[in-house]
């Protein structure tokens, strides 16, 4: 591999960089191709090996000399300077050296001249030949190519050059023009590169604003403004010593760019001011915008722009939401209102709803059914209206007040104080709260609790065909929305002076008032739910009592919740933690009164149920009486105790009054069943005892019991069967009462008999004793006393006559007749015997039955003697 030459070629360097020397003192661009100042230098560099012309052996280092000095030193250069040569190459030569050098130089010249002479002599013939050829060629060219017509051969060339110039203009002129433009662009780009920040500032600001980086835009704006005011030369450099025109041009450029910057910043100010008036912005975003606008020193005060616009927007949104909500409620109400074509239509509609809802109360998810009952569309529209108004409040007021509180603490204030008082922003927040309270109060017709006033009707927007359970569900749900909003407002610590607290108290009072009115209305319709279906857990009562208890408990609990007895505080997420609070006395009195009035209304419904039954049948009456036994014994006392525990009160006097009413109504219903039955039996007894064909003084000794007694007892068997079938728990009470009435009627009938003979006395004793023994199980102490009076009355009315001495024998005969009659009617009157006596007899034959009866008759003889 050859050796690489790294020797510096000075001529090449100067030509490449268009310089005249390697140490320039000013900017220069020399075209060496046109001026050719380096030709001598290049030639001399190629002849560096010629040596010293004086032959003194001097060596010169030309690398340290510039091009001009080199040209003056080199003997081959056209600008050779002998003085410079001697001073550079032989600065220390003596006169003798120079003289010797002259001789050497002369010798060199002579030698060269001799060489030339010899060259000419040796090639003279060639020179002559060349001269002859040249003359011949010239003569030929004079006649042809160099003739006068061809202008010495320049015309075709000129034509070619002209056409080439035209073509070159067509081809290269655009290129040259573009090159000039490119050069100008390069120059401009150079200026822009040096002032890149300033010229790109408008674009950067636009990008920052579009990306929401307002702080970055503000920083760059302030930086540009500082540089423009203090260092304009750094933004757009001007050469030193430039004239006034350049300076003016610089100012025009800077002013034009800065005008674009101010335009962009004006758009940003307008955008930020507009954003202050928009809803849904976060507090941080609003505060950042206000701070930026304050720093930009906009003409408008941004904090009051925010307060005025947001205050107006919130107030307008609440009013619009309220009006649209009321319109929707009215439209929904008119669309879903039922046609009440008859006076009982509303009762039928509510009864059907209550039937479904009370059954749902026994399920695991009753609210899903109750919430969808009649009128729920209107209730949902009401709830949505309240919810939407509350959302406007909760979504806007906290942010508004947070910024207002910061302003009251001294933040966001302009250096030049505003004429408006800072406390005005607090009044704006209070205006929003007052509007919310006014809208809710206007819709629900709220009143002060202390006024203890209750409107006679529900608000006109409420559905009239909604049952009380559905009403309670939606009232609680609506109240929860108001409560959540009030809680949010209270957490702001606005110092609203108890406005929201008063709103909640008034809303609770009004909602309880609406619920109580609906509660009492439905309590009067509850009897329609009685289907007289026995309760599987207690066959002596109906399922109506189960539904009734659920109905009362649910509504009492709902009224308790509305009154604030069970607070629903919003926890994390959708869960609610319930806790029991103290209910104000006014609410306690209202709930207690409503509860008692509802019970009285329900009791009246029992009377309606009995009145609707056809006279021949008494099934409903028995079931109602049976239900009354459960009501008075367990249900009502239990519900009253639960109410007392929940409200923390004692209603002993009201309890006593209610129980007296229950007992009185129970007695009325019970007598309504027993007395007609007893009267029917009494008619039979009276007809038999006071039969006009019966002469109690002359009648002979009895040998049998007359049919009327069997007929009367069979009437009691039918009654016994009916009570056992319908309400077995009333059997003893009913039979005791019937026997007492029958005994009393028998006594009254026998008192009308003036006297008894022996036969009449024995017959009356036989028949009454037969009835007594047959009904012995249901003979109560009052009935036993009445029968004892009856025996005494018969004994006292007995008129002894001659021949009545064999009384004991006659009595024995009567006893045998009694025993035989008892045995003969054992099957018919088996229902009057105790269960222990009847057990096992169903599968015995009649002979065994009669044998047992005979044993009992023997035991009964003593009783007969005692009775006699």
């Amino acid at each position: 591999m050859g050796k690489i030459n790294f020797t510096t070629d000075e001529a090449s360097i100067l030509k490449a960089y268009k310089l005249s020397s390697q140490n320039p003192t000013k900017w220069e661009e020399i075209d060496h191709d046109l001026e050719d100042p380096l030709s001598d230098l290049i030639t001399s560099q190629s002849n560096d090996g010629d040596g010293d012309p004086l032959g003194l052996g001097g060596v010169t280092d030309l690398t340290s000399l510039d091009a001009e000095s080199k040209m003056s030193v080199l003997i081959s250069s056209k600008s050779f300077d002998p003085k410079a040569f001697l001073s550079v190459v032989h600065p220390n030569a003596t006169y003798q050296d120079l003289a010797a050098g002259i001789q050497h130089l002369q010798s060199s010249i002579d030698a060269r001249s001799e060489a030339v002479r010899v060259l000419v002599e040796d090639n003279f013939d060639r020179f002559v030949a060349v001269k002859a050829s040249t003359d011949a060629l010239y003569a030929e060219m004079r006649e042809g190519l160099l003739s006068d017509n061809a202008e010495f051969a320049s015309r075709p060339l000129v034509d070619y050059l002209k056409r080439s110039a035209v073509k070159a203009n067509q081809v290269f002129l655009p290129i040259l023009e573009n090159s000039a433009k490119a050069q100008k662009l390069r120059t401009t780009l150079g200026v822009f590169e040096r002032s890149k920040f300033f010229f790109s500032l408008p674009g950067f600001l636009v990008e920052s604003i579009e990306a929401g980086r307002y702080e970055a835009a503000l920083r760059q704006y302030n930086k540009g403004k500082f540089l423009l005011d203090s260092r304009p030369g750094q933004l757009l450099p001007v050469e030193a010593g430039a004239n006034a025109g350049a300076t003016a041009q610089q100012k025009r450029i800077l002013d034009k760019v800065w005008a674009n910057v101010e335009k962009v910043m004006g758009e940003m100010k307008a955008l930020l001011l507009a954003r202050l008036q928009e809803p849904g912005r976060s507090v941080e975003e609003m505060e950042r915008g206000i701070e930026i606008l304050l720093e930009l020193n906009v003409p408008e005060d941004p904090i009051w722009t925010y307060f005025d616009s947001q205050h107006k927007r919130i107030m307008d949104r609440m009013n619009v939401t309220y009006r649209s909500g009321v319109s929707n409620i009215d439209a929904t109400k008119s669309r879903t209102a039922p046609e009440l074509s008859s006076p009982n239509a509303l009762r039928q509609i509510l009864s059907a709803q209550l039937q479904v809802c009370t059954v749902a109360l026994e399920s695991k998810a009753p609210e899903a059914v109750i919430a969808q009952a009649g009128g729920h569309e209107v209730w949902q529209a009401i709830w949505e209206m309240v919810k939407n108004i509350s959302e406007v409040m909760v979504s806007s007021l906290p942010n508004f007040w947070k910024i207002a509180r910061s302003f009251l603490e001294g933040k966001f204030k302009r250096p030049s104080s505003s004429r408006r008082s800072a406390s005005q922003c607090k009044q704006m927040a209070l205006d929003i709260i007052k509007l919310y309270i006014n809208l809710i109060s206007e819709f629900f017709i709220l009143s002060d609790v202390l006024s203890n006033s209750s409107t006679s009707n529900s608000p006109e927007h409420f559905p009239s065909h909604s049952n009380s359970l559905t009403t309670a569900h939606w009232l609680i749900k609506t109240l929860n929305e108001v409560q959540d909003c009030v809680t949010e407002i209270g957490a702001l610590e606005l110092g609203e002076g108890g406005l929201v607290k008063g709103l909640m108290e008034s809303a609770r009072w009004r909602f309880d008032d609406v619920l109580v009115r609906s509660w009492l209305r439905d309590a009067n319709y509850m009897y329609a739910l009685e289907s007289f279906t026995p309760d599987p857990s207690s066959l002596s009562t109906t399922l109506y009592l189960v539904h009734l208890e659920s109905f009362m408990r649910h509504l009492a609990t709902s009224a308790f919740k509305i009154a604030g007895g069970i607070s629903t505080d919003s926890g994390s997420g959708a869960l609610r933690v319930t806790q029991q609070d103290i209910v104000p006395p006014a609410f306690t009195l209202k709930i207690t009164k409503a509860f008692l009035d509802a019970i009285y209304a329900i009791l009246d419904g029992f009377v309606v149920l009995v009145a609707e039954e056809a006279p021949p049948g008494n099934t409903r009456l028995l079931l109602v009486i049976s239900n009354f036994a459960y009501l008075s014994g367990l249900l009502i006392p239990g519900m009253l105790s639960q109410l007392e525990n929940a409200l923390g009160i004692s209603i002993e006097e009201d309890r006593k009054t209610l129980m007296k009413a229950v007992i009185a109504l129970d007695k009325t219903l019970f007598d309504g069943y027993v007395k007609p039955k007893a009267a029917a039996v009494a008619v039979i007894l009276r007809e038999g005892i006071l039969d006009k064909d019966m002469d109690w003084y002359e009648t002979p000794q009895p040998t049998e019991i007359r049919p009327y007694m069997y007929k009367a007892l069979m009437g009691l068997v039918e009654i016994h069967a009916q009570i056992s079938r319908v309400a077995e728990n009333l059997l003893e009470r009913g039979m005791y009462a019937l026997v007492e009435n029958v005994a009393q009627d028998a006594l009254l009938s026998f008192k009308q008999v003036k006297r008894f003979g022996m036969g009449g006395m024995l017959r009356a004793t036989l028949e009454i004793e037969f009835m007594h023994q047959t009904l012995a199980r249901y003979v109560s102490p009052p009935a036993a006393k009445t029968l004892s009076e009856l025996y005494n009355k018969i004994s006292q009315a007995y008129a002894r006559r001659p021949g009545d001495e064999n009384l004991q024998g006659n009595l024995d005969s009567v006893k045998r007749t009694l025993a035989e009659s008892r045995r003969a009617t054992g099957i018919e009157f088996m229902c009057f015997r105790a269960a222990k006596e009847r057990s096992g007899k169903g599968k015995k034959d009649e002979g065994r039955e009669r044998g047992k009866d005979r044993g009992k008759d023997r035991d009964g003889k003593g009783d007969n003697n005692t009775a006699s």
Side-chain angles (χ1 to χ4, degrees), residues 209 214 217-219 221-222 225 261-262 264-270 272-273 288-300 302 414:
I209 293 171
Y214 303 108
L218 180 61
R219 286 195 301 270
Y221 171 76
N222 290 334
K225 187 174 183 181
V261 170
E262 289 292 353
V264 173
M265 292 305 293
E267 295 175 354
M268 187 179 88
K269 294 174 186 177
L272 290 176
L273 285 172
R288 196 164 59 244
I290 294 171
E291 291 172 348
I292 292 173
L293 289 171
L294 287 174
E295 190 168 348
L296 291 173
N297 195 24
V298 294
E300 306 88 349
R414 298 174 70 110

Side-chain angles (χ1 to χ4, degrees), residues 79 339 355 384 462 616 837:
S79 58
E339 294 183 4
Q355 182 71 50
E384 288 177 350
F462 284 10
E837 296 181 36

Side-chain angles (χ1 to χ4, degrees), residues 99-113:
I102 291 174
Q103 293 179 0
H104 177 75
L105 179 60
Q106 186 64 45
S107 300
S108 297
I109 293 173
D110 292 341
R112 287 179 179 268
S113 298

Side-chain angles (χ1 to χ4, degrees), residues 286-315:
M286 290 295 188
E287 289 181 341
R288 196 164 59 244
I290 294 171
E291 291 172 348
I292 292 173
L293 289 171
L294 287 174
E295 190 168 348
L296 291 173
N297 195 24
V298 294
E300 306 88 349
D301 193 341
I303 189 65
W304 285 111
T305 299
Y306 170 79
F307 286 146
D308 292 337
S309 60
Q310 292 297 325
H311 174 260
K312 183 179 184 302
R313 184 189 63 81
I314 296 172
M315 300 282 280

Side-chain angles (χ1 to χ4, degrees), residues 827 840-851:
I827 300 298
K841 290 187 177 180
K843 298 181 181 180
K844 305 291 184 178
D845 56 21
E846 186 177 351
R848 289 289 298 265
E849 188 67 37
R850 291 183 179 276

Side-chain angles (χ1 to χ4, degrees), residues 508-528:
R508 293 185 188 280
W509 182 259
R510 187 72 179 107
F511 282 20
D512 255 343
D513 195 49
V514 172
L515 177 59
V516 164
R517 188 175 295 106
S518 178
W519 186 359
L520 296 181
R521 179 202 62 191
D522 290 356
N524 285 287
Y525 297 155
M526 278 297 290
Y527 70 88

Side-chain angles (χ1 to χ4, degrees), residues 94 185 218 289 292 296 305 324 360 365 540 584 626 649 718 764 796 836:
T94 62
L185 287 176
L218 180 61
I292 292 173
L296 291 173
T305 299
S324 62
S540 59
S626 178
I649 59 173
E718 292 177 0
Q796 291 172 1
K836 188 181 294 184

Side-chain angles (χ1 to χ4, degrees), residues 499-740:
L499 291 176
V500 293
K501 183 179 179 181
L503 171 65
M504 279 309 301
E505 291 179 353
S506 299
R508 293 185 188 280
W509 182 259
R510 187 72 179 107
F511 282 20
D512 255 343
D513 195 49
V514 172
L515 177 59
V516 164
R517 188 175 295 106
S518 178
W519 186 359
L520 296 181
R521 179 202 62 191
D522 290 356
N524 285 287
Y525 297 155
M526 278 297 290
Y527 70 88
L529 273 64
E530 176 62 277
S531 61
F532 298 100
T533 303
D535 184 358
S537 61
S538 177
L539 296 178
S540 59
T541 60
T542 62
L543 284 174
Y544 173 64
L545 296 184
V546 177
H547 301 327
L548 183 62
E549 181 181 10
S550 300
F551 171 80
M552 293 295 291
R553 181 174 61 249
H554 186 83
L555 289 179
T557 303
S558 299
F560 189 61
K561 287 181 179 179
I562 292 174
I566 300 178
S567 64
T568 53
D569 299 328
S570 299
S572 59
L575 298 178
R576 292 180 177 269
V577 180
T578 59
Q579 61 182 10
Q580 185 164 334
D581 297 329
I582 298 176
V583 177
F587 288 94
T588 300
L589 181 62
K590 179 189 284 286
I591 295 172
T592 303
K593 184 178 182 304
F595 189 87
L596 295 173
D597 290 346
I599 291 181
Y600 282 116
I602 290 170
L603 294 178
D604 292 339
F606 283 107
V607 178
V608 176
L609 287 173
V610 173
E612 291 179 349
E613 186 176 27
N618 290 300
T619 302
R620 286 189 177 184
L621 181 57
L622 282 173
L623 288 173
V624 170
I625 296 171
S626 178
N627 284 343
F628 255 89
Y630 181 76
L631 277 173
S632 59
L634 295 175
L635 185 57
I636 292 180
M639 290 194 299
L640 292 177
S641 297
Q642 292 176 11
L643 183 67
E644 289 177 330
N645 294 333
L647 300 179
I649 59 173
S650 175
I651 53 173
E652 190 61 31
E653 292 300 323
D654 293 324
R655 181 194 292 265
K656 290 179 181 179
T657 303
L658 177 60
M659 294 311 299
K660 286 180 182 178
V662 172
I663 293 172
L665 185 57
D666 174 70
K667 184 177 184 305
T668 300
L669 294 174
F670 184 74
D671 290 345
Y673 176 79
V674 170
K675 288 187 177 180
K677 300 293 185 183
V681 176
V683 169
I684 298 173
L685 291 176
R686 191 180 307 113
E687 290 176 352
I689 294 172
L690 301 178
D691 187 1
K692 62 182 180 178
D693 296 331
M694 180 64 187
D695 186 354
W696 289 99
Y697 185 74
E698 298 295 338
T699 185
Q701 182 177 345
T703 56
E704 62 178 359
I705 297 174
R706 288 185 298 164
Y708 85 94
M709 183 56 68
Y710 293 114
K711 184 178 179 182
L713 291 176
M714 287 304 297
L716 292 177
V717 169
E718 292 177 0
I719 298 171
H720 183 284
Q722 185 184 37
I723 297 175
S724 299
R725 182 181 69 255
V726 177
E728 190 174 1
N729 62 317
L730 296 177
L731 186 58
E732 290 190 359
R733 181 187 176 191
M735 293 305 297
Y736 279 135
L738 284 169
V739 171
E740 289 175 8

